[in-house]
């Protein structure tokens, strides 16, 4: 950027996820802080929630309520919050003596290319006996509800949902 080349920039707040080489280049010229995204291979600070801890807590609550077949839903974009959330999910399953089942994590080990694939994945989870789902965002949890209402005509098959991120949809759907 022109301002950076002219020496008019004292630092950078990085709000988008971007390739490590670009972040490395920027951070060599000015101090950087990443908002939301983590860059574990680079020496820059980040301001973020702890998706691993949040996911661990959701799994703990699901297990305490009697759930043992727990799914994890993500869009599969490979964002840092998906990666760290999934890590926390697997660690929590292990801590509770629950074996990780790769078929219970669509969007992580098999990215979901579109909304139809997402809907199919939700229904496959339910058919596989999943009774609770950790979602990487409130929007995903709201989409689960929409899929179930559209495909089955009711929310009768709805699993318990928990999400560790989100925005306006979460505030609009306080039951999530």
């Amino acid at each position: 950027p022109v301002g950076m080349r002219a020496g008019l920039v004292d630092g950078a707040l990085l709000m988008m996820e971007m390739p490590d080489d670009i972040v490395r280049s920027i951070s060599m010229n000015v101090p950087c802080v990443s908002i939301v995204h983590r860059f574990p291979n680079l020496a820059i600070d980040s301001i973020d929630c702890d998706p691993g801890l949040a996911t661990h807590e959701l799994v703990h609550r699901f297990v305490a309520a009697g759930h043992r077949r727990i799914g994890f839903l993500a869009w599969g974009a490979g964002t840092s919050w998906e990666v760290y959330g999934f890590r926390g999910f697997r660690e929590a399953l292990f801590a509770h003596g629950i074996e990780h089942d790769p078929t219970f994590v669509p969007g992580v080990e098999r990215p979901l290319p579109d909304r139809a694939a997402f809907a199919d994945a939700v229904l496959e989870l339910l058919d596989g006996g999943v009774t609770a789902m950790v979602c990487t965002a409130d929007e995903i949890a709201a989409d689960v509800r929409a899929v179930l209402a559209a495909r089955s005509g009711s929310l009768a098959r709805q699993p318990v949902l928990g999400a560790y991120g989100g925005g306006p949809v979460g505030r609009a759907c306080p039951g999530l």
Side-chain angles (χ1 to χ4, degrees):
V2 175
M4 190 179 292
R5 285 192 299 273
L8 302 174
V9 176
D10 293 325
L13 293 175
L14 308 175
M15 302 192 58
M16 304 295 293
E17 192 159 31
M18 55 188 90
D20 282 4
D21 60 331
I22 292 174
V23 175
R24 184 178 296 108
S25 176
I26 294 170
S27 67
M28 289 171 49
N29 294 302
V30 295
C32 292
V33 175
S34 174
I35 309 296
V36 178
H37 301 284
R38 296 180 187 187
F39 297 91
N41 299 323
L42 302 176
I44 69 166
D45 294 321
S46 66
I47 299 172
D48 189 12
C49 65
D50 188 337
L53 180 63
T55 303
H56 199 283
E57 179 63 24
L58 285 170
V59 170
H60 175 72
R61 289 179 184 208
F62 289 157
V63 170
H67 298 278
R68 303 285 296 172
R69 298 180 66 79
I70 303 168
F72 182 91
L73 280 170
W75 285 118
T79 58
S80 59
W81 65 84
E82 286 183 356
V83 171
Y84 288 104
F86 182 59
R87 184 177 300 158
F89 174 76
R90 290 188 61 166
E91 289 171 359
L93 292 179
F94 179 78
H96 288 286
I98 300 171
E99 188 174 333
H100 166 67
D101 184 337
T103 64
F104 289 178
V105 292
V108 174
E109 296 178 358
R110 54 183 176 133
L112 303 172
D114 55 38
R115 294 185 72 78
F118 176 82
D120 291 342
V122 167
L123 296 174
E124 286 174 20
L125 286 174
L126 293 175
D127 291 343
V130 167
T131 60
M133 294 181 196
V134 173
C135 303
T136 58
D138 293 346
E139 294 83 351
I140 291 176
D143 283 347
V144 169
R145 291 173 59 127
V147 164
L148 296 176
R151 293 273 179 108
S152 66
S154 75
L155 297 177
R157 293 177 61 195
Q158 181 166 329
V160 175
L161 301 171
Y164 62 83
V169 173
R171 289 188 290 279
C173 300
L176 298 179

